[in-house]
Amino acid sequence: MTRPRQFVLAAGGTGGHMVPAAALAEELMRRGHRVALVSDDRGVRFPGLFEDVQTHVLPAGRIAGGPLGWAKAARQMWRGRAMARQLYRTFQPAAVIGFGGYPAFPALAAAFAEKIPTAVHEQNAVLGRVNRLVAPRVDAIATSYAETERLKPKFEGKAHHIGNPVRDAVIALRAQPYPLLEEDGIFRLLVTGGSQGASVLSKVVPEGLAMLPVAFRRRLQVTHQARIEDIDAARAKYAELEIAADLATYLPDLPEQLGWAHLVIARAGASTISELTAAGRPAILVPLPGATDDHQTANAREIAAAGGARTIPQSAFTPAELAKQMQKLGLDPTALENAAARAKGCGKPHAASDLADLVESLDAPRAKLPVGVSQPKEAFA
């Protein structure tokens, strides 16, 4: 049995950061540890995550808007760093783990000042901005891909290929067979743009499905996650085409929907790729063209190269192209089953456990100060 300790997880408030952080929190608490979350206003209210974890909001400005914006961001981050140091003196974490996003920066900067062990986890195939900034100071860098772009060679010695943790409900799908697909049976299609939706999917997917042969179209059962501003138009289009479709702005039962899906059409966010490979589901991926460092295209390379997904750049994602790819996959159950198996082969089902092992290993013996007593003041450099 492991010795109970306290850990702080720091993450920006998007699903790509929050989902793996929540998976690690679950694993650490399962091992008897206490966990606190540091995030922004979005992160502490993220639906379905961190319900049994104490949460803290830290000021963390975005580095944007020219010199005035940078100065404002620096002031906010300095305030966040001071608040985090106060939290650490009461919570006494054994380690602080950052998952990217601006709220992680002041939390990690405070850990450096308090001489607390640190690690970062990178979900994408390109090392993110905050993780690049703190890479020289952290004790360990956990990566989701064997090859991570923008990770400097001098830091590879402390890099660990862990994978991207996903929820237990998604890991459970790994033991289930790919859903039976009969030639004239229901074809279940899951469409998701990630935690923030994707307008291009709401526009192109219904129009692409309209170009399918009538017999195939009548077999479709679609679950579609859409932005609130797109959902009514997409719903009306599906109704016009007489395609059975359930639409929502958020899918709290996403693991269940993924379990039933024969094919997924999605962005190529880190959590999406991790869930597809953990469950073993074939996909058509449309990377977000404006993603920082084009990281979604990089995320999709491994699963596409393995044959578990097809990638379509957004510039080429037309109704006609989607209909062509749908027919190639949807009319060949054997091809879909093979793609599902190849997607599963890219999965890292033990990522949460392996990351928890790494986090526990950071806890080197160190002097514990009484509440209210600070370590020597040290500026973040």
Side-chain angles (χ1 to χ4, degrees):
M1 182 176 178
T2 58
R3 172 172 55 88
R5 281 159 280 175
Q6 290 79 243
F7 294 97
V8 169
L9 311 186
T14 65
H17 299 307
M18 300 302 294
V19 170
L24 175 62
E26 289 180 4
E27 178 63 24
L28 289 173
M29 290 188 295
R30 195 158 36 230
R31 298 182 182 196
H33 303 304
R34 292 179 62 208
V35 176
L37 170 71
V38 168
S39 188
D40 53 23
D41 288 327
R42 299 170 302 165
V44 298
R45 293 196 301 268
F46 211 92
L49 302 179
F50 293 99
E51 293 177 350
D52 298 320
V53 173
Q54 64 168 278
T55 57
H56 304 267
V57 175
L58 291 188
R62 292 181 60 86
I63 304 174
L68 289 177
W70 301 338
K72 181 179 178 181
R75 286 194 299 271
Q76 289 181 314
M77 288 182 180
W78 192 258
R79 283 182 55 226
R81 175 181 179 272
M83 292 170 63
R85 293 187 73 176
Q86 186 60 43
L87 168 64
Y88 299 162
R89 292 167 196 165
T90 56
F91 191 70
Q92 300 246 319
V96 176
I97 301 88
F99 284 83
Y102 286 106
F105 182 80
L108 289 165
F112 301 149
E114 295 289 327
K115 303 188 183 304
I116 299 169
T118 54
V120 292
H121 178 269
E122 179 55 60
Q123 300 87 50
N124 294 300
V126 182
L127 198 66
R129 184 175 298 167
V130 169
N131 285 349
R132 292 199 301 269
L133 188 61
V134 300
R137 296 290 301 274
V138 297
D139 298 292
I141 301 170
T143 66
S144 298
Y145 293 85
E147 296 183 8
T148 303
E149 297 176 19
R150 305 202 68 170
L151 174 64
K152 293 183 178 180
K154 64 182 178 181
F155 300 138
E156 290 178 356
K158 58 182 174 182
H160 305 262
H161 180 206
I162 296 289
N164 192 20
V166 298
R167 292 167 284 185
D168 290 343
V170 176
I171 294 296
L173 299 176
R174 199 170 178 85
Q176 300 179 14
Y178 179 75
L180 179 65
L181 179 59
E182 299 176 350
E183 289 189 4
D184 58 350
I186 293 174
F187 187 99
R188 296 183 181 88
L189 179 66
L190 174 62
V191 183
T192 173
S195 63
Q196 300 182 61
S199 291
V200 68
L201 300 185
S202 295
K203 177 176 173 53
V204 173
V205 172
E207 293 180 2
L209 300 185
M211 301 175 72
L212 295 172
V214 174
F216 186 12
R217 199 165 68 221
R218 287 176 176 168
R219 295 170 52 204
L220 292 173
Q221 182 172 307
V222 180
T223 300
H224 188 138
Q225 179 234 345
R227 287 177 178 266
I228 191 168
E229 60 267 31
D230 303 323
I231 196 168
D232 290 339
R235 184 179 285 117
K237 187 64 176 179
Y238 283 123
E240 176 189 330
L241 297 169
E242 298 183 342
I243 293 176
D246 293 322
L247 289 91
T249 57
Y250 178 71
L251 299 175
D253 60 344
L254 182 62
E256 182 179 352
Q257 298 291 346
L258 186 61
W260 281 105
H262 294 108
L263 179 67
V264 179
I265 301 175
R267 285 298 197 194
S271 290
T272 297
I273 300 292
S274 299
E275 290 174 346
L276 290 171
T277 56
R281 291 296 179 270
I284 294 173
L285 300 172
V286 186
L288 175 66
T292 306
D293 300 315
D294 196 23
H295 67 256
Q296 289 204 3
T297 297
N299 290 348
R301 285 182 189 138
E302 182 181 31
I303 186 174
R310 299 186 181 201
T311 302
I312 306 176
Q314 185 164 309
S315 59
F317 186 60
T318 63
E321 179 63 21
L322 175 61
K324 181 176 75 174
Q325 298 296 337
M326 283 283 297
Q327 287 189 78
K328 285 181 179 179
L329 288 168
L331 298 178
D332 187 349
T334 301
L336 276 172
E337 290 182 17
N338 288 339
R342 291 173 180 179
K344 184 182 286 189
C346 296
K348 292 282 187 182
H350 305 298
S353 177
D354 291 344
L355 183 56
D357 289 345
L358 176 63
V359 166
E360 287 181 329
S361 74
L362 297 173
D363 182 26
R366 66 188 188 93
K368 299 290 187 180
L369 298 179
V371 173
V373 178
S374 172
Q375 295 276 6
K377 198 167 186 177
E378 174 181 311
F380 172 67

